[in-house]
Amino acid sequence: MRQRTIGNLTVGAIGLGAMPLSIEGRPDEQRATATVHAALDAGVTLIDTADSYHWHAGERGHNELLLARALRSHGGDTSGVLVATKGGRGRPGDGSWTVTGTPGHLRRAAEESAARLGVEAIGLYQLHKPDPTVPWADSVGALRDLLDAGTIRAAGISNVSTGQIREAHAILGDALVSVQNQYSPAVRDSEPELRLCERLGLAFLPWSPLGGISRSALDGPSGPASAGTAFHRVADARGVSPQQVVLAWLLARSPVMVPVPGASRPASVQDSARAAGLVLDEAETALLDEDVDRLSPSPAGAPARGGPPRR
């Protein structure tokens, strides 16, 4: 698999978003474990999770615990796998999401995540979303404290603006290694944040990277299909899935882009992983860019939206 860099680590260019394995409509543990194993076997070395990826009340850390068990039961060497988790959001169990960015909460959340993952230090810990009731510098300062304490090895931030990235970078320096915002063919509001990440040398991990293209039928329906786009036409000509074409397009957008598409079946993550080997030519890229402008006509300089409450 092609490689990308996050801080001083090298990971596969396509990661696994593990959220679908634990939230509403999640698969049973056998299939979830098989999905993680299939990702590892396909060369995926970045897995994205969060303490709030669960369904019911009282299940905080469900996804982290599931991943820890799946990694332990895999027969291969998993020492090079980066499990990136997040803290600062909650799920009361009624379908809603909360935000808590106080330093005390973030420190406790990181310590609990490390325990669930079974690690002495979390490889990458990301602040899930800014808390409007807490000064941004205070929340980011908690990440600095976690780095100094050795609880985490590197820090990231999610659902942020360019100003918040700059402020976090001033506080954390080289320990800030990633930004995770929504970005896809249909949602490009974070174009300014992506370009800032390039200038600062930060990895950009787009969440919901397949927006604008319906998810693979392997995972079941996820809203209206968008057949007939340029992504589908290129996919048909190449003999691959439209999802692979989207992921290849994302990789071509920037050298700091590391997509983490979600999956709930082995076949889905295997399909996504194959996108790392799909290199688009100039004509294909131009065709896709033209279609993307139709899907997402917002100006490139538009500020980032915070993202829907689900993430």
Side-chain angles (χ1 to χ4, degrees), residues 56 74 76 104-105 131 155 173-174 217 219-220 234 237 246 273 287 298:
H56 307 291
H74 187 261
H105 172 83
D131 184 341
D174 291 342
D219 272 336
V234 171
V246 172
L287 179 65
S298 57

Side-chain angles (χ1 to χ4, degrees), residues 17-200:
M19 183 172 74
L21 303 178
S22 290
I23 62 167
E24 292 85 339
R26 66 195 181 200
D28 60 36
E29 181 150 348
Q30 182 178 3
R31 196 177 90 191
T33 300
T35 300
V36 177
H37 289 179
L40 299 173
D41 293 340
V44 170
T45 54
L46 170 64
I47 303 178
D48 175 74
T49 183
D51 61 1
S52 56
Y53 290 170
H54 62 88
W55 186 350
H56 307 291
E59 287 188 328
R60 176 174 291 275
H62 181 280
N63 201 240
E64 294 170 324
L65 289 168
L66 186 153
L67 290 175
R69 290 192 294 270
L71 288 168
R72 285 196 300 269
S73 64
H74 187 261
D77 179 12
T78 60
S79 60
V81 176
L82 174 61
V83 177
T85 193
K86 297 182 288 294
R89 303 218 69 179
R91 300 203 73 193
D94 59 0
S96 66
W97 294 70
T98 60
V99 181
T100 307
T102 61
H105 172 83
L106 293 172
R107 285 193 291 268
R108 288 191 300 274
E111 291 166 357
E112 291 168 1
S113 288
R116 285 189 290 263
L117 292 170
V119 297
E120 292 184 4
I122 297 169
L124 173 57
Y125 190 72
Q126 302 175 97
L127 201 162
H128 207 152
K129 189 175 184 179
D131 184 341
T133 68
V134 177
W136 180 237
D138 290 355
S139 296
V140 176
L143 298 181
R144 179 76 266 173
D145 292 343
L146 289 166
L147 288 160
D148 292 342
T151 308
I152 67 175
R153 294 195 175 96
I157 50 179
S158 181
N159 297 303
V160 288
S161 66
T162 55
Q164 289 167 330
I165 295 172
R166 290 191 181 95
E167 186 173 358
H169 189 257
I171 294 170
L172 298 171
D174 291 342
L176 178 68
V177 300
S178 67
V179 168
Q180 189 168 19
N181 278 13
Q182 186 178 21
Y183 191 96
S184 69
V187 181
R188 292 182 297 139
D189 294 357
S190 280
E191 192 77 31
E193 287 71 28
L194 170 60
R195 302 310 163 193
L196 178 58
C197 285
E198 290 177 345
R199 295 194 291 274
L200 295 177

